[in-house]
């Protein structure tokens, strides 16, 4: 059983992680503005979202989520390929969903800028 201090630390971690991601995302967005093609800019930003924000559930504590890049890297270093495969599966699902969103955004962009 997890005590309230651990639950509070978990909440603080995710709040700080999301705020740090928002700052990093807007910095990268301003950096990518130099790219001339809208589709390439949005593809790079959506890849960034998938790589940093995809979670995986902790195998030790039910209901606790970990950033998938952190979990997969840690498990690959330790040599547990089966556990890392769960995170890589989450990456692939998130990537497919983001690919669909990216394609729909390109269609929207094409229709608006006609």
């Amino acid at each position: 059983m997890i005590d309230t201090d651990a639950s509070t630390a978990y909440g603080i971690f995710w709040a700080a992680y999301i705020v740090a991601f928002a700052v990093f995302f807007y910095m990268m967005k301003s950096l990518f503005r130099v790219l001339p093609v809208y589709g390439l800019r949005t593809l790079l930003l959506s890849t960034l979202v998938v790589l940093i924000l995809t979670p995986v559930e902790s195998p030790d504590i039910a209901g606790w989520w970990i950033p998938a890049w952190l979990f997969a890297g840690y498990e690959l270093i330790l040599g547990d390929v089966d556990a890392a495969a769960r995170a890589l599966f989450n990456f692939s699902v998130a990537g497919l969903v983001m690919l669909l969103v990216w394609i729909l955004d390109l269609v929207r962009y094409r229709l608006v800028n006609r």
Side-chain angles (χ1 to χ4, degrees):
M1 193 72 182
I2 299 301
D3 60 352
T4 57
D5 289 340
S7 294
T8 303
Y10 176 75
I12 290 171
F13 162 77
W14 275 109
Y17 191 78
I18 296 299
V19 168
F21 173 76
V23 170
F24 182 68
F25 181 82
Y26 285 114
M27 289 172 55
M28 294 304 289
K29 188 174 180 180
S30 65
L31 180 68
F32 290 155
R33 283 184 202 251
V34 299
L35 297 174
V37 180
Y38 174 79
L40 180 60
R41 286 192 308 257
T42 56
L43 178 65
L44 290 173
L45 288 173
S46 62
T47 303
L48 184 70
V49 168
V50 168
L51 288 176
I52 295 179
L53 290 184
T54 302
V56 64
E57 190 171 11
S58 171
D60 299 327
I61 303 168
W64 280 44
W65 295 84
I66 306 165
W69 64 269
L70 185 64
F71 182 78
Y74 184 72
E75 293 300 331
L76 284 174
I77 289 171
L78 291 178
D80 191 1
V81 179
D82 293 332
R86 285 192 12 229
L88 297 176
F89 175 75
N90 284 12
F91 275 131
S92 63
V93 170
L96 288 174
V97 169
M98 190 56 80
L99 181 66
L100 177 64
V101 170
W102 179 69
I103 290 171
L104 291 174
D105 181 56
L106 289 179
V107 169
R108 179 206 55 86
Y109 181 78
R110 174 76 180 207
L111 291 175
V112 168
N113 289 335
R114 234 174 193 194

